[in-house]
Amino acid sequence: MGDSQTWTAAPSAAERARSVLAGAWSCSVTAENCREELVGAHTATDDGRVLLEVPEDSVLVTAAICAPRGEPSAVLEFADVAPVPVRKRIRSRLWLSGWFTPEEGRLAFRATRVVLREPSGAKAVDLEEFATAAPDPLATAEARLLTHLADCHPDAVERLTRLVESDSLHGAVRVQPLAVDRHGLTLRIERARSHGDVRLPFHRPADDVAQLTERMHILLSQASAASCPRALQRQRTDGDG
């Protein structure tokens, strides 16, 4: 369920896909009627290829050698999981269809189709755009940043709700930081039986953690100057916060 807060300044689909690839720690690989779950085994090159470190006796190596050249021989699946405990923690899924090529003790995977599935639906990502896109500069630091915000600064999260439209906060029982990228911070608003997300855009992009800190200070200053949302206050009075 979405909320009415206006969304502005967001990464492109190709950039979001590359960010999932950069931030994911594990992936599922399906090839030639076999499936393997790999943890900490993949890296991505600048042109969007995926390099997998797998044992020499892995069935994936056999599948790569035996697959017809140019035919999609595998599907890689990556889950983008919210680092902070929220309902429905999988924010998106990324599927790459393509083929493997053995390369210096590794498997090099080149995608022939890229699909990104988000709450708004699935979208095929243009291969050229995917190859040339860069992941968000905060992608690999996002988990640490959001966990720190939720665990160490719940008061700041509460203050940020003052920037959220009152209609979006109606019935809210909990608000958590869901995602952050160079363009803005996303909050997950949970209600008794539903949830929604709202985005708080930065006044300009943040290209590193130092700039993100400055952007967050500006948001918090804006929140301090705003009135306190009544909807969230009412829920906390009832003991649901």
Side-chain angles (χ1 to χ4, degrees):
M1 170 184 273
D3 281 304
S4 59
Q5 194 83 358
T6 301
W7 283 73
T8 60
S12 68
E15 290 170 332
R16 294 196 302 275
R18 291 297 297 268
S19 295
V20 173
L21 187 57
W25 179 242
S26 64
C27 71
S28 300
V29 184
T30 304
E32 296 299 317
N33 299 317
C34 67
R35 183 180 177 89
E36 288 197 19
E37 303 289 335
L38 302 177
V39 178
H42 79 275
T43 56
T45 64
D46 290 342
D47 63 356
R49 290 183 306 140
V50 180
L51 304 179
L52 291 180
E53 301 283 351
V54 296
E56 291 183 1
D57 59 353
S58 170
V59 292
L60 295 177
V61 176
T62 303
I65 295 173
C66 298
R69 182 57 61 90
E71 292 293 328
S73 61
V75 176
L76 276 57
E77 179 181 346
F78 301 86
D80 175 28
V81 183
V84 176
V86 292
R87 292 181 192 151
K88 296 187 176 181
R89 290 184 69 173
I90 296 181
R91 302 178 297 190
S92 63
R93 291 186 184 274
L94 176 68
W95 287 278
L96 307 179
S97 303
W99 74 88
F100 282 117
T101 303
E103 181 181 290
E104 300 179 354
R106 299 175 297 186
L107 291 180
F109 180 87
R110 183 172 293 279
T112 56
R113 180 173 171 79
V114 178
V115 176
L116 179 66
R117 183 174 185 84
E118 299 176 301
S120 58
K123 176 181 178 60
V125 180
D126 181 83
L127 289 176
E128 245 185 80
E129 293 179 4
F130 178 77
T132 58
D136 188 87
L138 303 175
T140 56
E142 183 193 29
R144 171 175 56 85
L145 294 168
L146 291 181
T147 301
H148 178 77
L149 178 60
D151 293 346
C152 301
H153 301 285
D155 55 326
V157 177
E158 179 178 356
R159 200 188 325 166
L160 288 170
T161 62
R162 299 183 182 187
L163 299 177
V164 178
E165 294 175 5
S166 58
D167 288 348
S168 294
L169 286 173
H170 182 72
V173 297
R174 187 171 72 156
V175 178
Q176 291 276 53
L178 177 70
V180 68
D181 56 61
R182 68 194 297 261
H183 296 291
L185 173 73
T186 301
L187 300 178
R188 166 64 55 84
I189 299 174
E190 295 183 348
R191 307 178 183 88
R193 294 182 178 82
S194 64
H195 65 271
D197 303 332
V198 294
R199 187 170 176 82
L200 304 179
F202 300 140
H203 70 286
R204 66 179 61 172
D207 292 327
D208 54 37
V209 174
Q211 290 184 5
L212 173 65
T213 300
E214 187 267 343
R215 307 299 187 264
M216 288 295 298
H217 284 164
I218 290 177
L219 282 183
L220 288 168
S221 295
Q222 293 171 344
S224 295
S227 58
C228 191
R230 296 179 180 177
L232 196 58
Q233 280 187 321
R234 181 168 61 252
Q235 288 297 326
R236 290 198 170 125
T237 300
D238 293 340
D240 294 328

